Amino acid sequence: MFGIVRPCSHRLGEGLKTQWMAHLCGLCLALRGDHGQFARVVTNYDGLLISVLTEAQAERSTGWRRTAGPCPLRGMRTASVAQGEGARLAAAVSLVLASAKVRDHVADGDGLLARRPVAVAARRVAASWGRAGARTGSAVGFDTAVLVDAVDRQVGIEALAGPGTPLLTVTEPTETATAAAFAHTAVLAGRTGNAAPLAEAGRLFGRLAHLLDAVEDRETDAASGAWNPLSATGTSLAEARRLADDALHGIRLALREAEFTDSRLAHVLLAHELGRSVDRAFGTSGCGHAADGSHRSLDSLDFGNSGDSLGPLGSAVLLGPEGSFGPPPQQGGNPYTGGGNPFGAGPSFQPPTPGKRGFWAGCAAAIGLCCTCKMCCADEYEGPWSRKKRDGCLNDCDCDCGCCEACQCCECCECCSCCDCGL
């Protein structure tokens, strides 16, 4: 799975998480239904935004959902998934852009693609995806030629770019492609008046996607000698962050101009989660517009226990060594073991640690985890050999879940004045 909008399920809540998964599964199944099982590998988090926007604008009807059969990635459970033209448009865009991404990696000679036989096979797969995306796009009235043209122009622009070239010149083809895809969701939903603001939102989303990809790959590209927009144009991280913040603000303003039937999920993904994606890429937390100190995230607050400050939970009496709960350490070592135990002498009570499994026992446990899909779908599972607790593959939480609600205002509503939703 790839993409820049990767929401945390704890922030979405149960209702929006169910909707988000419906669109994700709907995109995956649309790819399988039109193009076969292998096409499902291009399923990505950003592609489902097309499906989300289409449904958010459309009038409610009974044709937007269907019940899908059991799937290993859902723990062999059935689910209500998105269907229709929005999911198919998302599939078409995902295929064409994945085709472009593969060709780009082949051109750069990344990893195994530096080997000629692998590169030849990858080019064939990319060409096949491009043709498949064009067919599906045509079926929903979307001409994917604008995407292909953008990809072709990107190669020429990168070849000519150098120090002093404006970074927005490099991001323009991506902006054009995503603007066309976002605008077509208004056509599919029957709200042609939304085409202009959504095209603007798509243009800025494409800019953000290009910028964040460049920022995240900056160090690895430098180590491998691969082309990177920031290094090639001499753009600093500070300037890239300024452009990213401006694009994020522009997306929020554009969304305010569009009319939606139910905008909750689209708003959370594009107005809130996208801001977190920017922070994640630049290695920051909280609002990027707090130069005057008016707003800060919880991560930046000082919870010291000096002077007359009580800290977050009260006086230092409540905090033990290194911030743990309990009374302060006493003479004689750990107060809860041996003679220092205020509740009586004796050993501490600790649960026994399970021993590691042997090779064959671990293999049997691994097979059981795979067959029951716990490795993917469970919040936590026990390692088959080490027996250590591990997070499930799809349980990708990037937040401190204790403060999800508390820091919403800083990251969107107050600093950027995008909404008064209270999310």
Side-chain angles (χ1 to χ4, degrees):
M1 301 296 295
F2 58 94
I4 63 173
V5 182
R6 303 192 294 271
C8 170
S9 60
H10 298 85
R11 287 193 298 262
L12 286 181
E14 193 60 35
L16 292 182
K17 178 186 175 183
T18 300
Q19 291 186 42
W20 184 78
M21 286 298 298
H23 288 285
L24 184 63
C25 293
L27 169 58
C28 181
L29 293 175
L31 287 164
R32 184 200 67 179
D34 288 344
H35 311 292
Q37 291 283 359
F38 184 65
R40 300 171 81 175
V41 300
V42 307
T43 304
N44 66 92
Y45 295 129
D46 295 343
L48 69 87
L49 290 174
I50 302 297
S51 179
V52 169
L53 285 172
T54 303
E55 186 175 290
Q57 299 170 78
E59 296 297 332
R60 288 293 166 261
S61 65
T62 58
W64 290 101
R65 291 285 191 274
R66 72 176 179 88
T67 300
C71 174
L73 292 179
R74 291 194 299 268
M76 298 309 294
R77 297 187 297 268
T78 61
S80 176
V81 302
Q83 67 172 351
E85 293 184 328
R88 297 189 71 193
L89 176 61
V93 171
S94 296
L95 281 166
V96 174
L97 295 184
S99 170
K101 195 174 187 70
V102 170
R103 290 202 302 269
D104 184 55
H105 285 306
V106 171
D108 291 341
D110 294 336
L112 289 175
L113 296 176
R115 300 181 179 181
R116 183 175 177 81
V118 179
V120 170
R123 287 193 188 96
R124 291 179 179 175
V125 170
S128 174
W129 283 347
R131 291 191 297 269
R135 289 195 304 270
T136 301
S138 178
V140 295
F142 180 65
D143 186 1
T144 58
V146 65
L147 306 183
V148 176
D149 176 69
V151 171
D152 292 340
R153 286 190 297 108
Q154 185 74 55
V155 176
I157 290 173
E158 291 182 358
L160 296 175
T165 301
L167 186 59
L168 298 187
T169 300
V170 179
T171 64
E172 181 275 324
T174 307
E175 296 177 20
T176 301
T178 50
F182 274 46
H184 197 68
T185 65
V187 177
L188 294 181
R191 291 187 182 263
T192 54
N194 285 348
L198 289 183
E200 177 66 6
R203 183 179 68 82
L204 295 173
F205 181 83
R207 177 182 301 178
L208 259 182
H210 204 131
L211 282 173
L212 299 190
D213 184 64
V215 170
E216 291 176 344
D217 294 346
R218 187 165 173 259
E219 293 184 0
T220 55
D221 287 345
S224 64
W227 195 91
N228 184 281
L230 300 182
S231 303
T233 60
T235 304
S236 66
L237 283 177
E239 175 63 11
R241 179 60 193 254
R242 185 189 69 80
L243 292 173
D245 285 341
D246 287 348
L248 182 62
H249 186 55
I251 290 172
R252 291 165 174 167
L253 294 177
L255 291 177
R256 296 177 66 179
E257 297 178 9
E259 296 181 2
F260 296 96
T261 302
D262 183 356
S263 65
R264 288 176 299 170
L265 181 57
H267 178 85
V268 168
L269 294 178
L270 288 170
H272 293 266
E273 294 298 332
L274 194 53
R276 291 187 173 91
S277 299
V278 173
D279 288 335
R280 183 169 57 242
F282 284 92
T284 61
S285 61
C287 182
H289 295 80
D292 59 353
S294 58
H295 292 282
R296 290 184 296 167
S297 70
L298 294 184
D299 294 339
S300 64
L301 297 181
D302 181 13
F303 288 135
N305 293 319
S306 60
D308 57 356
S309 172
L310 296 181
L313 298 174
S315 68
V317 175
L318 296 177
L319 296 177
E322 298 182 1
S324 60
F325 292 101
Q330 302 178 11
Q331 296 294 329
N334 190 334
Y336 297 113
T337 59
N341 191 339
F343 305 108
S348 60
F349 293 94
Q350 297 181 355
T353 303
K356 295 182 179 180
R357 291 190 180 95
F359 177 76
W360 294 111
C363 289
I367 293 172
L369 288 171
C370 291
C371 291
T372 58
C373 298
K374 284 190 175 181
M375 283 188 176
C376 291
C377 304
D379 290 338
E380 191 179 70
Y381 68 92
E382 189 180 77
W385 286 277
S386 67
R387 307 192 76 164
K388 293 180 179 179
K389 297 297 183 182
R390 304 184 185 279
D391 292 333
C393 299
L394 299 183
N395 184 34
D396 184 14
C397 175
D398 66 347
C399 72
D400 178 0
C401 300
C403 68
C404 289
E405 297 300 323
C407 54
Q408 294 284 353
C409 65
C410 171
E411 296 192 7
C412 174
C413 301
E414 295 296 329
C415 292
C416 305
S417 303
C418 79
C419 63
D420 56 1
C421 65
L423 291 173

